[in-house]
């Protein structure tokens, strides 16, 4: 069932939280949705009544089942399906993923979350070119390719008052220089931020918004080793004095995907607890 569309000319718009942040019955595809930030976002959509598909390079069925069990909603009103797809393998794998989603949604996708990503850290002198290419291929090229291929599914749901949404998961490391030698990661995320802005300008007339979430430190698989080694120092480096929680990440994604965020496009929403703005010497 299509999510309700709200007229931009309504004389008595509903400004209740239930209406503004309603994502019930929206079809949502989240790449890399089985772990970390992707899973936080997936749980947020599932708990608020969306039909969620999580795609992962590894078997995603178990992760989907765990998300269903963790939901606060009755089991009969929860939908989360795990799909296996290695997006780094190119368009054939991406098309297979979208075909699987289309079969279960009558070809209609309301929200695409490009979250799948990888990292590689090594000193510049020994940084492998193949590793650089691998990181850029998944973090940047796959996001562009999947978005392009998903356009027919997104346009099938898009309206003036309730556009389809693309949410790209960037990083604050795409907006700063850190001590970590992850040259490809930070470069690919900076490029993804810019790509989102360019796509937003090109797709707006097709009633599709494109925005970026730029997370700071969250308890994800990618951050596990770093947090185990230096969580206190990382927390001290934020203006708010803590790392991010699932509520922080899910809330930001729900805003961009709901009526509340329908007039936002081309934005980079930083969710970092104030790392980028904390005064430093």
């Amino acid at each position: 069932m299509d999510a309700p569309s709200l007229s931009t000319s309504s004389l008595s718009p509903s400004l209740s939280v239930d209406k503004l942040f309603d994502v019930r019955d929206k079809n949502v595809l989240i790449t890399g949705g089985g772990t970390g930030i992707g899973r936080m976002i997936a749980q947020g959509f599932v708990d608020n009544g969306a039909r969620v598909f999580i795609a992962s390079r590894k078997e995603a069925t178990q992760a989907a089942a765990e998300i269903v069990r963790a939901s606060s909603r009755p089991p009969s009103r929860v939908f989360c399906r795990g799909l296996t797809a290695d997006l780094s393998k190119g368009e054939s794998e991406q098309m297979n993923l979208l075909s699987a989603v289309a079969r279960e949604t009558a070809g209609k996708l309301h929200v695409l979350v490009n979250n799948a990503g990888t990292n590689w850290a090594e000193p510049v002198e020994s940084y492998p070119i193949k590793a650089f290419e691998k990181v850029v291929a998944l973090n940047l090229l796959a996001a562009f390719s999947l978005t392009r291929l998903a356009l027919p599914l997104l346009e099938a749901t898009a309206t003036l008052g309730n556009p389809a949404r693309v949410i790209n998961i960037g990083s604050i490391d795409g907006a700063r220089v850190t001590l970590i030698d992850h040259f490809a990661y930070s470069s690919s995320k900076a490029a993804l931020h810019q790509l989102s802005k360019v796509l937003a300008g090109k797709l707006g007339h097709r009633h599709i918004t494109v925005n970026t979430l730029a997370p700071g430190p969250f308890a994800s698989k990618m951050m596990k080793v770093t947090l185990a080694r230096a969580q206190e120092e990382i927390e001290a480096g934020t203006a708010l004095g803590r790392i991010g929680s699932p509520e922080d990440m899910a809330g930001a994604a729900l805003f961009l995907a709901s009526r509340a965020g329908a007039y936002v496009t081309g934005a980079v929403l930083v969710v970092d607890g104030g790392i980028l703005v904390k005064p430093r010497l």
Side-chain angles (χ1 to χ4, degrees):
M1 183 173 70
D2 251 353
S5 174
L6 300 181
S7 171
T8 57
S9 61
S10 173
L11 296 178
S12 56
S14 174
L15 301 181
S16 70
V17 169
D18 288 346
K19 293 293 185 181
L20 283 175
F21 292 89
D22 184 13
V23 295
R24 286 174 297 175
D25 299 318
K26 285 197 173 190
N27 300 322
V28 182
L29 171 59
I30 305 169
T31 67
T35 60
I37 284 173
R39 184 157 175 169
M40 297 176 195
I41 293 172
Q43 193 74 60
F45 277 110
V46 166
D47 285 0
N48 285 278
R51 292 167 48 85
V52 177
F53 300 84
I54 60 171
S56 175
R57 180 174 57 86
K58 298 180 180 180
E59 173 59 46
T61 303
Q62 181 178 342
E66 291 171 353
I67 289 170
V68 169
R69 287 196 295 270
S71 178
S72 57
R73 296 171 64 84
S76 61
R77 299 179 62 188
V78 175
F79 183 99
C80 185
R81 182 69 48 82
L83 301 170
T84 302
D86 186 349
L87 301 181
S88 67
K89 290 185 176 179
E91 287 193 352
S92 60
E93 192 83 352
Q94 296 159 21
M95 290 176 67
N96 289 339
L97 170 62
L98 292 173
S99 295
V101 173
R103 283 194 296 270
E104 297 204 45
T105 63
K108 295 181 178 181
L109 183 64
H110 299 89
V111 184
L112 170 62
V113 181
N114 287 308
N115 168 74
T118 189
N119 193 4
W120 188 286
E122 193 167 329
V124 63
E125 294 85 358
S126 59
Y127 202 100
I129 296 301
K130 286 189 178 295
F132 198 107
E133 292 172 341
K134 178 181 178 181
V135 172
V136 171
L138 183 57
N139 293 7
L140 181 63
L141 295 180
F144 173 73
S145 180
L146 190 63
T147 299
R148 184 173 64 85
L149 294 171
L151 289 177
L153 279 68
L154 293 165
E155 287 187 292
T157 70
T159 66
L160 179 64
N162 194 8
R165 322 296 168 93
V166 176
I167 303 173
N168 293 322
I169 307 302
S171 170
I172 60 167
D173 288 350
R176 65 172 184 166
V177 177
T178 72
L179 295 174
I180 302 172
D181 292 332
H182 53 196
F183 303 99
Y185 179 82
S186 56
S187 299
S188 66
K189 292 300 185 180
L192 185 62
H193 295 183
Q194 181 64 14
L195 175 63
S196 298
K197 295 176 184 179
V198 175
L199 286 172
K202 297 294 185 180
L203 299 179
H205 73 284
R206 296 163 76 167
H207 309 318
I208 299 172
T209 69
V210 186
N211 292 290
T212 306
L213 290 176
F218 281 78
S220 65
K221 182 179 180 181
M222 192 175 291
M223 284 286 297
K224 184 177 180 179
V225 174
T226 303
L227 289 175
R229 207 169 49 220
Q231 181 164 340
E232 288 186 7
E233 292 87 341
I234 292 171
E235 290 176 338
T238 70
L240 298 180
R242 65 176 177 87
I243 65 170
S245 70
E247 294 92 336
D248 299 318
M249 187 49 56
L254 289 170
F255 162 68
L256 291 177
S258 65
R259 180 61 185 87
Y263 200 53
V264 179
T265 195
V268 178
L269 178 55
V270 178
V271 191
D272 73 339
I275 287 178
L276 294 183
V277 299
K278 183 169 182 178
R280 290 174 174 81
L281 289 177

